Amino acid sequence: MPVYQAPVQDTLFVLNDVLGWQRHDNLSGFSDAAPDVVEAILNEAGRFASDVFLPLNQVGDREGCRRAEDGSVATPTGFREAYGRFREAGWGSLSADSAYGGQGLPHTLAAAVNEFLSSANMAFAMYPGLTRGAIAAIESHGSPEQKALYLPKMVDGVWTGTMNLTEPHAGTDLGLLRTKAVPQGDGTYAITGQKIFISAGEHDLSENIVHLVLARIEGAPEGVKGISLFIVPKFVPDAAGNAGARNAVSCGSLEEKMGIHGNATCVMNYDGATGWLIGEADKGLRAMFTMMNEARLGVGVQGLAISEIAYQNAVAYARDRLQGRALSGTKHGTKAADPIIVHPDVRRMLMTIRAINEAGRALILWTALQGDLSHRSPDDKAREGGDDWMGLLTPVIKGVLTDKGFENAVLAQQVYGGHGYVAEWGMEQFVRDARIAQIYEGANGIQALDLVGRKLALNNGRAIQAFFKEVGAFCEEHRADEAMAPFTKTLKKGLNDLQAATLWLMGNAMGKPDNAGAASNDYMHLFGLVALGYMWGRMAKIAQAKLAAGANGDTSFLENKLVTARFFMERLMPETSAHLARISTGADTMMALDADAF
Amino acid sequence: MPVYQAPVQDTLFVLNDVLGWQRHDNLSGFSDAAPDVVEAILNEAGRFASDVFLPLNQVGDREGCRRAEDGSVATPTGFREAYGRFREAGWGSLSADSAYGGQGLPHTLAAAVNEFLSSANMAFAMYPGLTRGAIAAIESHGSPEQKALYLPKMVDGVWTGTMNLTEPHAGTDLGLLRTKAVPQGDGTYAITGQKIFISAGEHDLSENIVHLVLARIEGAPEGVKGISLFIVPKFVPDAAGNAGARNAVSCGSLEEKMGIHGNATCVMNYDGATGWLIGEADKGLRAMFTMMNEARLGVGVQGLAISEIAYQNAVAYARDRLQGRALSGTKHGTKAADPIIVHPDVRRMLMTIRAINEAGRALILWTALQGDLSHRSPDDKAREGGDDWMGLLTPVIKGVLTDKGFENAVLAQQVYGGHGYVAEWGMEQFVRDARIAQIYEGANGIQALDLVGRKLALNNGRAIQAFFKEVGAFCEEHRADEAMAPFTKTLKKGLNDLQAATLWLMGNAMGKPDNAGAASNDYMHLFGLVALGYMWGRMAKIAQAKLAAGANGDTSFLENKLVTARFFMERLMPETSAHLARISTGADTMMALDADAF
């Protein structure tokens, strides 16, 4: 069975040293999260992940969820009990508003905990993850009555939530959706239609399931301008606010899929189910995007999470597996062979994963902090800056960290050789689970288009200009520092490539949008490398400063950071040139073939 | 269910135009394979693949193989009958020696047919594939009696073959293997030990299974110098040469694995089984490598094969799935949305796969032809050159085309969005099946080491120098040709990068082998790009020449070739710089961490 130990030390390094956690203790929630409290929470969350979530990960994969004739869905053995412990421990309500029973802690902290839980059992962590997204939508767009009725139960976890967007013919293009909502004259709507790919759509973990459903009110305009968002509870709350009468919504079938078997992916049938409009009529997409942004960052976390647990197991195997001798001469002469961690190509795989994970963790927490600032800072500029950063980096984190997360799971599996292909070792499950993160909540191609087609131009490019300025200033600040040169020089080169790519887009994509589409994937990954490189630059600087100041006892952790930072600059950053070269070729060749010539 | 149509036209283009098939009609086997015969064979093989193999591909994945209490293994529904048809049609004996009942046709043709069969059902095609490897080993190293006893049955397919190398503690490092062989005084040996990951180790397709088993004769030296190869038939042939008494070899269990469920991956237990030495005692590795080389090229073919069928289905879906509108303006106003093939990022994925597949096919057939020349040419130089090319390109084809094959299957799956993750569409099976090709027959890291650590230096670098000369001469020859400039300029740049990387290795890896190990993966992929780019250069030249000569009716095929060639040069070749940059950083950072610092 795979092992897992939450990367608490690394997370604390990011929170305390990279983010300067204590600098923010004037903000709501942060004042309750002094460093010792944060450390205790992370340690406890790590233990919970390893002790409660991890042992169910392979069980969930093997058993999957089961739908009975009556449409009810049973989660795998142990999930119910574990979910009860999860609720009791309050892991789902860490950053929820205290007005609804939450603990009001920073979202940044919740993101860190979410990484641990998703590493240990991604399919399981999705149940509360989707609930958090639904909470966010109701909190932002619901009426006071809706909030009062649903949020306390959902924050507690006794009710869970889902997002119902996709229909068989309408995935990325939600304008095509057909599910209809007919006003009943009593303020409610009768919802009718079919939704597919609904994660956690039906299960036995909670007393009620609160479906947030996109539908079209009868007579509404076609396309995306006629879509509204509805709350459709599985059980209609009774007068006392408890789960009451069964609503006309049911799970028609479960999808058989590549991975995340522990999560129930449902076809949901709405047969005149009673729904309540949330937010304004025909403005459902806006409300849905509140959920989506939350969810997209969460999916980026999943990419990191799988990459981290896959890494840890690949390391354990590489230390343990004896095979061949080191190229540089026998290292363990008393053993029949050397452990494979002596081989450079095994190192290459491990170092690659490590370099992405540590920077990815920093980038996620950095971005989550910007999100907290955007909501909680008393300073207008800080709120605006935080919001800009969040908007700009969300597609990058979702797209890049899930692409890399999958690639890293594949690399970690490769370390195992043939054993990686065999189910019992658990590595192939990581690959199968990681794969979905590149697809759902907007396939990564959509993330790239969101970045290139929307986020770059927003507010006249305010966010991207701020990003260039911030990273550029960091390079400039440490330009004369010889110890920092290996990092800032490469980072600056990457930044130049990104700026050149941005200029190219400005010059070539306005009049010819296909040039933007043809560039989008490379641009997103180029951006990701610069953003991760920036994190490495900052981490290297801090490691050097702490070492220079005589870090007590912790020197190897900091020295390892510097090695990994160098590896990132040497081995991963060179890709920025290739991205720029591809971007600059434009769309002509890509679009030249007739559709039927393929 | 996935669709498949064998790429016969493209294969004929490679055979007739790129390889100049008729130029070789003086060689044995080629004289029986005039262009019209080849075309008929390919068409028939394509039909067979689509009609017989393809319908069993998802069945095989879903059902898998089943082991009964008595150790017998049942293949999935339909496999037995289909195997019978396969044998009757003679697909397994195309290029086998006519002395043993084979058809004696060129291996090049067999490689083409193998691609079709592996596309349609990779797990199934492995059964005869392994038999071909075993035939090659017996043919090269067996005694006349062994050949006479085993080869006719194996060529016919009524008996199948396996390779038994891996043990639980001995995978890459065969020197560690423990299976022992005790002389029985009658010329036979008693073989005892356990082998794992034995593909097609036990099944119900054939009357007998001929295991080729690596074992150590009692008293033999330790390490790789004490390993011998044995024939251990499931049923010992009787006096008439038919399957006789049951031998003490059995399938202990089947591995549950990520993919290729239709193929039985067995733990094989040898309990004093009767075995016959093949070739010389203690020289078993040499004999095994005859099988391995055959097998490695076959695995490269699998990479291409999965990539091809995944591509075809992604194309079909991209033409059919309506979602969103073209960035450049609505293309199909009468439909609710445009087919997603109008989107540049979907094109990017399809064109990437296509550009690798078409060049990969050319490279495989080009290399297979070199293999045929190495055996069949009357010219010493041609035989030597063919052998050099085969040796040099085998690890490149295995490593690069399986890495790319997997990545391409992932891209093709991505085209499907959420539907790609759902089992019924079949795309996720391609990803799971393709994954094994990167691992077995020597994990790709081993291929890279074989290339860098062994093949480059062989005969004072004769093979690599010949490769440089050939590709360089091609670029030089067409340097002044303006129409060829877009291709040769980029190819030459790639060749320069490869030469620079080779020089770097010569200067930095002799004294410090870790530098070779740290460079190996990048070097292999850099090599692959140049080799594929060379194929594109040649294909572009031929397409231009045929167009200039007024190709009759076929112009769109040739024009599409030129577009795809340009795409390869613009979008894939830029990676050579990044590879060179990584290679040149050396091993220091990669190897800097303590093993317990990971």
Side-chain angles (χ1 to χ4, degrees):
Chain A
M1 196 188 83
V3 295
Y4 177 67
Q5 179 151 30
V8 173
Q9 184 182 19
D10 199 52
T11 305
L12 288 172
F13 172 75
V14 174
L15 295 179
N16 293 329
D17 296 313
V18 181
L19 303 188
W21 193 251
Q22 287 195 277
R23 286 192 291 123
H24 307 289
D25 64 4
N26 60 321
L27 304 183
S28 108
F30 285 74
S31 47
D32 301 324
D36 60 330
V37 174
V38 168
E39 184 168 349
I41 289 174
L42 292 179
N43 277 319
E44 189 51 35
R47 266 193 298 274
F48 192 85
S50 295
D51 294 349
V52 181
F53 271 39
L54 183 65
L56 300 178
N57 196 37
Q58 285 188 295
V59 175
D61 184 59
R62 261 196 314 270
E63 290 188 13
C65 296
R66 283 171 205 152
R67 179 183 173 279
E69 278 298 307
D70 64 1
S72 66
V73 172
T75 53
T77 306
F79 273 41
R80 266 178 68 88
E81 194 244 327
Y83 184 74
R85 293 177 65 183
F86 172 86
R87 264 187 60 215
E88 276 160 36
W91 293 118
S93 62
L94 271 188
S95 62
D97 194 327
S98 56
Y100 308 112
Q103 298 166 61
L105 291 165
H107 286 296
T108 311
L109 191 57
V113 169
N114 192 28
E115 183 206 318
F116 301 171
L117 298 173
S118 298
S119 281
N121 197 326
M122 174 171 151
F124 196 148
M126 287 173 66
Y127 292 101
L130 286 156
T131 305
R132 275 197 303 281
I135 289 171
I138 296 176
E139 211 170 343
S140 302
H141 303 282
S143 66
E145 294 73 28
Q146 287 170 337
K147 293 183 194 180
L149 184 58
Y150 291 102
L151 292 182
K153 301 272 194 189
M154 294 172 77
V155 166
D156 172 83
V158 67
W159 293 4
T160 54
T162 73
M163 302 166 57
N164 285 241
L165 288 75
T166 307
E167 300 180 5
H169 53 281
T172 296
D173 189 353
L174 290 170
L176 299 174
L177 70 79
R178 294 181 197 146
T179 296
K180 73 174 179 204
V182 180
Q184 301 295 298
D186 61 352
T188 70
Y189 293 78
I191 312 290
T192 303
Q194 188 177 68
K195 297 287 181 178
I196 63 170
F197 302 157
I198 307 308
S199 298
E202 179 60 64
H203 57 78
D204 55 5
L205 301 183
S206 61
E207 293 178 5
N208 201 1
I209 301 175
V210 180
H211 302 292
L212 295 195
V213 183
L214 286 185
R216 201 181 292 283
I217 297 173
E218 248 187 351
E222 294 209 344
V224 293
K225 290 182 179 155
I227 296 175
S228 305
L229 183 63
F230 296 88
I231 299 183
V232 186
K234 175 179 171 187
F235 294 101
V236 177
D238 62 19
N242 295 316
R246 188 72 166 82
N247 205 347
V249 47
S250 62
C251 168
S253 62
L254 293 179
E255 300 288 2
E256 273 190 58
K257 56 199 194 295
M258 186 181 195
I260 51 164
H261 294 159
N263 201 279
T265 305
C266 301
V267 174
M268 297 301 295
N269 295 322
Y270 292 85
D271 302 308
T274 304
W276 285 263
L277 182 66
I278 175 169
E280 289 178 62
D282 300 344
K283 298 276 169 62
L285 274 197
R286 208 178 45 138
M288 188 52 84
F289 270 107
T290 306
M291 273 165 79
M292 289 294 281
N293 276 331
E294 172 97 4
R296 284 174 176 180
L297 272 181
V299 175
V301 170
Q302 291 177 333
L304 165 64
I306 296 289
S307 181
E308 173 66 31
I309 189 170
Y311 169 78
Q312 290 189 16
N313 285 279
V315 165
Y317 189 81
R319 280 206 203 102
D320 187 57
R321 174 77 170 170
L322 305 179
Q323 208 77 182
R325 292 294 182 189
L327 296 171
S328 53
T330 295
K331 292 286 178 288
H332 295 81
T334 57
K335 295 180 178 169
D338 288 339
I340 61 173
I341 202 164
V342 304
H343 299 303
D345 197 58
V346 171
R347 294 274 179 144
R348 173 185 65 82
M349 298 191 272
L350 297 178
M351 289 297 294
T352 299
I353 310 177
R354 179 187 180 99
I356 292 166
N357 287 358
E358 293 184 8
R361 181 171 298 118
L363 184 62
I364 283 172
L365 297 176
W366 181 282
T367 302
L369 176 64
Q370 295 299 322
D372 277 327
L373 290 175
S374 78
H375 290 114
R376 305 182 186 202
S377 175
D379 177 55
D380 288 352
K381 271 283 160 204
R383 283 204 309 279
E384 181 185 284
D387 198 51
D388 281 355
W389 179 285
M390 271 286 276
L392 187 66
L393 269 295
T394 294
V396 175
I397 286 175
K398 196 284 184 182
V400 174
L401 293 188
T402 62
D403 277 359
K404 293 294 177 194
F406 176 73
E407 287 170 24
N408 289 347
V410 171
L411 285 178
Q413 181 189 24
Q414 191 74 14
V415 171
Y416 278 69
H419 298 281
Y421 202 67
V422 171
E424 68 174 295
W425 291 85
M427 300 306 285
E428 59 93 34
Q429 183 191 345
F430 296 139
V431 173
R432 290 184 289 102
D433 286 354
R435 184 70 184 90
I436 190 58
Q438 301 171 280
I439 298 173
Y440 63 14
E441 308 303 347
N444 285 355
I446 300 302
Q447 305 300 324
L449 272 187
D450 178 45
L451 175 65
V452 163
R454 210 171 138 262
K455 298 296 175 61
L456 284 189
L458 225 54
N459 302 309
N460 291 314
R462 192 176 68 205
I464 182 74
Q465 292 306 334
F467 179 85
F468 289 159
K469 203 173 144 191
E470 180 172 334
V471 180
F474 177 81
C475 293
E476 184 57 29
E477 187 185 341
H478 302 290
R479 198 161 59 93
D481 179 348
E482 215 169 292
M484 280 298 288
F487 309 109
T488 51
K489 222 179 112 185
T490 313
L491 176 58
K492 183 73 173 109
K493 161 78 173 65
L495 181 64
N496 289 346
D497 287 344
L498 181 61
Q499 288 177 310
T502 311
L503 274 175
W504 189 91
L505 282 174
M506 288 172 66
N508 295 279
M510 305 289 189
K512 190 171 170 185
D514 274 349
N515 276 335
S520 57
N521 177 69
D522 278 293
Y523 187 88
M524 178 177 77
H525 280 281
L526 169 50
F527 201 130
L529 285 170
V530 174
L532 294 170
Y534 176 45
M535 292 297 115
W536 271 122
R538 297 202 78 103
M539 291 193 285
K541 180 64 210 167
I542 289 159
Q544 287 177 352
K546 289 187 81 169
L547 283 167
N552 38 7
D554 220 13
T555 56
S556 69
F557 175 84
L558 299 168
E559 281 158 0
N560 295 343
K561 276 275 171 229
L562 290 171
V563 169
T564 311
R566 269 204 303 280
F567 184 88
F568 186 90
M569 296 299 169
E570 288 176 5
R571 293 267 166 179
L572 297 171
M573 286 298 279
E575 200 64 29
T576 62
S577 312
H579 286 306
L580 176 60
R582 284 193 283 265
I583 289 167
S584 314
T585 63
D588 288 350
T589 306
M590 196 178 275
M591 305 304 289
L593 289 191
D594 282 344
D596 50 12
F598 280 87
Chain B
M1 196 185 85
V3 296
Y4 177 68
Q5 179 151 30
V8 173
Q9 184 182 19
D10 200 52
T11 304
L12 288 172
F13 172 75
V14 174
L15 295 179
N16 293 330
D17 296 312
V18 181
L19 303 188
W21 193 251
Q22 287 195 277
R23 285 192 291 123
H24 307 288
D25 63 6
N26 59 322
L27 304 184
S28 108
F30 285 75
S31 47
D32 301 323
D36 59 329
V37 174
V38 168
E39 185 169 350
I41 290 175
L42 292 179
N43 277 319
E44 188 52 34
R47 265 194 298 275
F48 191 86
S50 295
D51 294 350
V52 181
F53 271 39
L54 183 65
L56 299 178
N57 196 35
Q58 284 188 295
V59 175
D61 184 60
R62 259 197 314 269
E63 289 187 14
C65 296
R66 283 174 203 149
R67 178 182 173 279
E69 277 299 306
D70 64 1
S72 67
V73 171
T75 53
T77 306
F79 273 41
R80 267 179 67 89
E81 194 244 327
Y83 185 74
R85 293 176 66 182
F86 172 87
R87 265 188 58 217
E88 276 159 37
W91 293 119
S93 63
L94 272 187
S95 62
D97 194 327
S98 55
Y100 308 111
Q103 299 166 61
L105 292 165
H107 286 296
T108 311
L109 191 57
V113 169
N114 192 28
E115 183 206 319
F116 301 171
L117 298 173
S118 298
S119 280
N121 197 328
M122 173 172 153
F124 195 148
M126 287 172 67
Y127 292 101
L130 287 155
T131 305
R132 275 197 303 279
I135 289 171
I138 296 175
E139 210 169 343
S140 303
H141 304 282
S143 67
E145 295 72 26
Q146 288 169 337
K147 293 182 196 183
L149 184 57
Y150 291 101
L151 291 182
K153 300 271 193 190
M154 294 172 76
V155 165
D156 172 84
V158 67
W159 293 5
T160 55
T162 73
M163 302 164 57
N164 286 240
L165 290 75
T166 306
E167 300 180 5
H169 52 281
T172 297
D173 189 352
L174 289 170
L176 299 174
L177 70 79
R178 293 181 197 147
T179 296
K180 72 175 181 202
V182 180
Q184 301 291 86
D186 60 354
T188 71
Y189 293 78
I191 312 289
T192 304
Q194 188 178 66
K195 296 287 180 178
I196 62 170
F197 302 158
I198 308 308
S199 299
E202 179 59 62
H203 56 77
D204 55 5
L205 301 183
S206 61
E207 292 177 7
N208 201 0
I209 302 175
V210 181
H211 302 291
L212 296 195
V213 183
L214 287 185
R216 202 180 292 283
I217 297 173
E218 248 186 352
E222 294 211 341
V224 294
K225 290 183 177 156
I227 297 176
S228 304
L229 183 63
F230 296 88
I231 300 182
V232 186
K234 176 179 169 186
F235 295 101
V236 176
D238 61 20
N242 296 315
R246 188 71 166 82
N247 206 347
V249 47
S250 62
C251 168
S253 62
L254 293 178
E255 300 288 1
E256 273 190 58
K257 55 199 193 295
M258 187 180 193
I260 51 165
H261 295 160
N263 201 279
T265 306
C266 301
V267 173
M268 297 302 295
N269 295 323
Y270 293 85
D271 302 309
T274 304
W276 285 263
L277 182 67
I278 173 168
E280 288 178 64
D282 301 342
K283 297 275 168 67
L285 274 197
R286 208 178 45 138
M288 188 52 82
F289 270 107
T290 306
M291 272 166 81
M292 289 295 281
N293 277 331
E294 172 97 5
R296 284 175 175 178
L297 272 183
V299 175
V301 171
Q302 292 178 332
L304 165 63
I306 296 288
S307 182
E308 174 65 30
I309 188 170
Y311 169 78
Q312 290 189 16
N313 285 277
V315 165
Y317 189 81
R319 279 204 204 104
D320 187 57
R321 173 77 170 171
L322 305 178
Q323 208 77 179
R325 291 295 182 189
L327 295 171
S328 53
T330 296
K331 293 285 178 290
H332 295 82
T334 58
K335 294 181 178 169
D338 288 340
I340 61 173
I341 202 165
V342 302
H343 300 303
D345 197 58
V346 171
R347 294 274 179 142
R348 173 185 64 83
M349 298 191 273
L350 297 179
M351 289 296 294
T352 299
I353 310 176
R354 180 186 179 99
I356 292 166
N357 287 358
E358 293 183 9
R361 181 171 299 118
L363 184 62
I364 283 172
L365 297 177
W366 183 282
T367 302
L369 176 65
Q370 296 300 322
D372 277 327
L373 291 175
S374 78
H375 291 114
R376 305 183 187 203
S377 175
D379 177 55
D380 289 350
K381 271 283 160 203
R383 281 204 311 280
E384 179 185 284
D387 199 51
D388 281 355
W389 178 285
M390 271 287 276
L392 186 66
L393 269 294
T394 294
V396 175
I397 286 176
K398 196 285 185 182
V400 175
L401 292 188
T402 63
D403 277 357
K404 293 294 178 194
F406 176 73
E407 287 170 23
N408 289 347
V410 171
L411 285 178
Q413 181 189 26
Q414 191 75 14
V415 171
Y416 279 69
H419 298 281
Y421 201 66
V422 172
E424 69 174 291
W425 290 85
M427 301 305 286
E428 59 93 34
Q429 183 191 344
F430 296 140
V431 172
R432 289 184 290 103
D433 286 354
R435 185 68 184 92
I436 190 59
Q438 301 172 280
I439 298 173
Y440 62 15
E441 307 304 347
N444 286 355
I446 300 302
Q447 305 300 324
L449 273 187
D450 178 46
L451 175 65
V452 165
R454 210 170 138 263
K455 298 294 174 63
L456 285 189
L458 226 54
N459 302 309
N460 291 315
R462 190 176 69 204
I464 182 76
Q465 293 305 333
F467 180 85
F468 289 159
K469 201 172 147 193
E470 178 170 335
V471 180
F474 177 80
C475 294
E476 185 58 29
E477 187 185 342
H478 302 291
R479 198 160 60 93
D481 180 346
E482 214 169 295
M484 279 298 286
F487 309 109
T488 50
K489 222 180 110 183
T490 313
L491 176 59
K492 181 74 173 114
K493 161 76 174 67
L495 180 64
N496 289 346
D497 286 343
L498 181 62
Q499 288 176 308
T502 311
L503 275 175
W504 188 91
L505 282 174
M506 288 171 65
N508 295 278
M510 305 289 188
K512 192 172 167 184
D514 274 349
N515 275 336
S520 57
N521 176 69
D522 278 294
Y523 187 88
M524 177 177 77
H525 280 283
L526 169 50
F527 202 130
L529 284 170
V530 174
L532 294 170
Y534 176 46
M535 292 298 114
W536 272 122
R538 296 203 80 102
M539 291 194 285
K541 180 66 210 163
I542 290 160
Q544 288 177 353
K546 289 187 80 169
L547 283 167
N552 36 6
D554 220 11
T555 56
S556 68
F557 175 85
L558 299 168
E559 281 158 0
N560 295 342
K561 276 275 172 230
L562 290 171
V563 169
T564 312
R566 268 204 304 280
F567 183 89
F568 186 89
M569 295 299 169
E570 288 176 4
R571 294 266 165 180
L572 297 170
M573 285 298 279
E575 200 65 27
T576 62
S577 312
H579 286 306
L580 176 59
R582 282 193 283 267
I583 289 166
S584 314
T585 64
D588 289 349
T589 306
M590 196 178 274
M591 304 305 287
L593 289 191
D594 282 344
D596 50 13
F598 279 87

